Amino acid sequence: MEYILTAESLSKHYRHFKALDHFSIHVPKGAIYGFVGKNGAGKTTLIRLICGLQEPTEGAYLLYGKKNTEPGIAKCRRRMGAVIETPSIYLDMTAEDNLKEQYRVIGLPSFDDIPELLALVGLENTGRKKAKHFSLGMKQRLGIAIALAGSPDFIVLDEPINGLDPQGIIEMRELILKLNRERQITFLISSHILDELSRLATHYGFINSGRMVKEISAKELDAACRRCIRVQVSDIQALIRVLDELGIEYSIFSDTMAEIYAKINVSKLTLALAEQGCDIISMTEREESLESFYINLIEGGN
């Protein structure tokens, strides 16, 4: 498999704090890589390193197969685009003028393809409207348009849907999927909004306390997310006794509710509970979500 970005034993220390601690990552070419972790886990630190805003304390990373210490790394970074934390835009300029300014900064000789770029991100009709009057979703899309200047094939987004309304989230999702499918752009998306990320990502990396806990493809994740039966009963202790006797895996959620991770004979379970004086109040089939998979993964690691 060809990788856009890889790292092994990458560390970044700030005095006594280890933002990244022997961290590893593998971002396949053409992927939408969901980079998952709580605030402070090290996501933004990695993004700053690969964008050249900071240098590692130890270890190295490879971008397009080029090591970060090699002279050619700056040329590789020109194939990247990034929106880190908030879009870097000039609020008193129009969308078109913002793009013209970015074209000047990176040395592009012509503005001819700016109208096409504005249309691509849905900002072709903003005219002379200044960016300070844009909605948050429009500002995010302008940030992506600026990141697309120079036709990069790898884009890094740090929390791209933070604060967006439902319509803005849908527009952002559709734009990312369109760029990935039509232009074969690889994405690294840092986010803690897992439900939305699950609609996009083809691969995931789960980071905790500066270390990569697990990397997994979306297909592998689907297979790993177990189906379960959520059952509510009148006596949770009776349910525990019955499930232990049957050797069935389960998790307790409350004084009345548990999740059972096995195919069960409902009649047999009902009769066994009746003998213990316990009634089944409700029973529903569920599938483990990305959120619960992440929580179980991190809690297991801790």
Side-chain angles (χ1 to χ4, degrees):
M1 183 179 291
E2 185 177 353
Y3 294 103
I4 295 287
L5 170 68
T6 61
E8 300 292 345
S9 297
L10 184 66
S11 296
K12 179 63 179 178
H13 302 166
Y14 301 97
R15 293 189 179 179
H16 302 296
F17 174 65
K18 296 180 179 180
L20 292 177
D21 184 16
H22 294 89
F23 175 83
S24 64
I25 191 171
H26 306 83
V27 179
K29 182 179 181 180
I32 299 177
Y33 190 102
F35 194 29
V36 181
K38 60 187 178 182
N39 291 337
K43 303 190 301 296
T44 300
T45 298
L46 174 73
I47 290 172
R48 288 181 175 277
L49 291 182
I50 64 176
C51 289
L53 301 176
Q54 294 179 344
E55 292 295 326
T57 306
E58 298 174 10
Y61 62 86
L62 275 72
L63 192 61
Y64 298 100
K66 186 75 69 175
K67 201 171 183 179
N68 63 288
T69 53
E70 295 180 39
I73 192 66
K75 187 175 181 180
C76 291
R77 288 201 186 102
R78 293 194 192 105
R79 297 175 61 182
M80 286 178 59
V83 181
I84 303 175
E85 295 176 340
T86 56
S88 298
I89 58 179
Y90 297 98
L91 295 176
D92 287 322
M93 289 185 179
T94 65
E96 181 179 351
D97 288 341
N98 264 279
L99 282 172
K100 285 181 178 178
E101 192 63 29
Q102 180 65 10
Y103 274 44
R104 293 187 186 102
V105 167
I106 62 178
L108 295 179
S110 170
F111 300 148
D112 290 348
D113 60 348
I114 286 180
E116 180 186 351
L117 193 50
L118 288 171
L120 182 66
V121 299
L123 295 176
E124 68 273 27
N125 296 319
T126 53
R128 302 309 303 167
K129 186 176 183 178
K130 293 183 178 180
K132 63 183 177 183
H133 300 303
F134 285 5
S135 69
L136 183 56
M138 293 169 69
K139 289 176 182 176
Q140 289 283 48
R141 283 184 277 131
L142 177 55
I144 290 182
I146 291 170
L148 286 168
S151 301
D153 50 13
F154 180 37
I155 293 183
V156 179
L157 302 178
D158 190 13
E159 303 289 359
I161 61 173
N162 258 10
L164 297 186
D165 59 24
Q167 183 60 36
I169 290 173
I170 292 170
E171 290 172 356
M172 182 60 63
R173 181 202 313 152
E174 290 177 347
L175 176 58
I176 291 169
L177 288 171
K178 181 179 181 180
L179 292 171
N180 178 252
R181 291 169 181 168
E182 296 182 6
R183 298 200 172 194
Q184 288 75 53
I185 293 175
T186 303
F187 282 88
L188 173 65
I189 303 176
S190 162
S191 182
H192 61 268
I193 304 176
L194 303 188
D195 180 61
E196 182 57 33
L197 196 58
S198 67
R199 303 168 190 263
L200 288 169
T202 61
H203 295 76
Y204 297 91
F206 298 94
I207 183 175
N208 189 45
S209 300
R211 287 177 175 260
M212 182 65 79
V213 180
K214 190 176 187 65
E215 289 187 288
I216 191 171
S217 71
K219 288 182 179 178
E220 290 169 333
L221 181 63
D222 287 342
C225 285
R226 298 174 295 177
R227 292 183 181 275
C228 66
I229 303 294
R230 177 164 287 189
V231 58
Q232 186 177 11
V233 296
S234 60
D235 184 351
I236 196 68
Q237 293 303 321
L239 178 64
I240 290 172
R241 288 194 297 271
V242 168
L243 294 177
D244 284 343
E245 288 174 6
L246 295 173
I248 293 175
E249 185 183 355
Y250 61 88
S251 296
I252 303 300
F253 279 84
S254 70
D255 292 340
T256 61
M257 196 168 293
E259 284 188 350
I260 301 171
Y261 301 103
K263 288 185 178 181
I264 58 171
N265 184 312
V266 177
S267 298
K268 185 177 179 180
L269 178 63
T270 304
L271 288 171
L273 288 173
E275 290 176 3
Q276 300 270 347
C278 175
D279 297 323
I280 294 179
I281 298 169
S282 66
M283 186 179 289
T284 54
E285 187 176 33
R286 295 170 58 85
E287 188 169 355
E288 189 175 23
S289 65
L290 174 59
E291 183 177 285
S292 59
F293 179 87
Y294 166 72
I295 291 170
N296 291 332
L297 184 68
I298 298 305
E299 288 182 351
N302 288 337

